Amino acid sequence: VIAERLAVVGRPDRPLPEALQQLLRDRGIEQLYQHQVLALESARAGQSWVVVTGTASGKTLCYNLPILEACLQDPNARALSLFPTQALGQDQLKGQLELLGGNPRVAALIRPGVYDGDTPTAQRRRITAEANLVLSNPDMLHASILPYHPKWHRFFSQLRYVVIDEVHTYRGILGAHVACVLRRLLRVCEHYGSHPVILSASATIANPGELTSRLIGRDVQVID
């Protein structure tokens, strides 16, 4: 039995856009946890990070808040979220649509789309041309996005954030392959003039900072 603890909450230095605040209130979120605020402020400052907190501690909001804020403030901003399985990507899309459904104006500005092996060809073209939040996985990134990066030039040139969820999954041989794919992604982004911030999340592991740094080839801040 683990004893309960009082929630530690915080407030961003700069308030979130009012429309985003209203979406959170509609879901019963009146305050942010301290680790969510720290993640938001670090992302705003251009600092890559990995958040390592317990299950159901709001890690998804840690990376969704800076992404949604960026897309609301800049219609050209883009974000790429990578999940280890297609099922997780679909679950995240469902959550995004539920969150955005409370405000038609915001929903019109945030255009998420899942780009994986089950995505129909016609929908893939629409996502490539229109989506500002693409949800995918490392395998799809390697096989169907990076080899055709000229078709994605607008997306890569405006890419602000890359999310790597469940980062503890990528170890051993799989982790070595994913590290190569991620570094190729960052080289492609640099080719098109962007330098995305990496936002990672993980279940509690012993060395989150070391693992994430080795995956992406840059130092990261650990938020716990």
Side-chain angles (χ1 to χ4, degrees), residues 20-215:
L20 184 50
Q21 292 187 51
Q22 186 59 52
L23 288 177
L24 295 176
R25 287 194 292 267
D26 291 344
R27 295 182 67 84
I29 302 174
E30 300 287 344
Q31 299 181 91
L32 297 177
Y33 293 126
Q34 187 178 51
H35 65 276
Q36 294 171 331
V37 172
L38 180 56
L40 173 63
E41 296 295 356
S42 297
R44 285 172 169 177
Q47 172 64 54
S48 296
W49 48 251
V50 55
V51 60
V52 188
T53 58
T55 303
S57 58
K59 288 191 290 291
T60 300
L61 272 185
C62 287
Y63 53 76
N64 275 340
L65 288 179
I67 288 174
L68 295 176
E69 180 182 60
C71 291
L72 289 175
Q73 294 176 342
D74 179 5
N76 293 319
R78 299 289 187 269
L80 173 66
S81 294
L82 300 173
F83 304 95
T85 66
Q86 293 185 184
L88 280 174
Q90 293 289 347
D91 286 345
Q92 286 290 326
L93 177 65
K94 181 181 177 181
Q96 287 277 357
L97 295 177
E98 289 176 352
L99 175 63
L100 300 174
N103 188 320
R105 186 182 70 83
V106 173
L109 294 173
I110 311 295
R111 302 178 299 279
V114 169
Y115 197 96
D116 60 24
D118 294 334
T119 307
T121 301
Q123 193 172 340
R124 290 187 186 190
R125 288 195 293 265
R126 182 191 62 80
I127 291 172
T128 303
E130 301 176 7
N132 52 6
L133 173 53
V134 174
L135 299 90
S136 190
N137 54 70
D139 182 63
M140 197 68 179
L141 178 65
H142 169 65
S144 298
I145 297 179
L146 291 179
Y148 308 100
H149 62 82
K151 296 181 179 180
W152 291 79
H153 69 277
R154 181 182 177 188
F155 181 85
F156 285 127
S157 67
Q158 302 289 345
L159 191 58
R160 296 275 295 277
Y161 295 111
V162 174
V163 174
I164 310 173
D165 200 12
E166 305 292 345
V167 71
H168 58 277
T169 303
Y170 305 119
R171 292 180 288 181
I173 294 175
L174 173 63
H177 282 286
V178 172
C180 290
V181 172
L182 292 174
R183 295 180 193 208
R184 183 183 179 194
L185 167 65
L186 296 178
R187 290 197 301 271
V188 169
C189 290
E190 186 174 354
H191 173 73
Y192 289 108
S194 66
H195 302 277
V197 178
I198 309 297
L199 313 179
S200 308
S202 171
T204 303
I205 55 177
N207 60 336
E210 178 188 0
L211 173 62
T212 308
S213 296
R214 294 180 68 182
L215 272 176

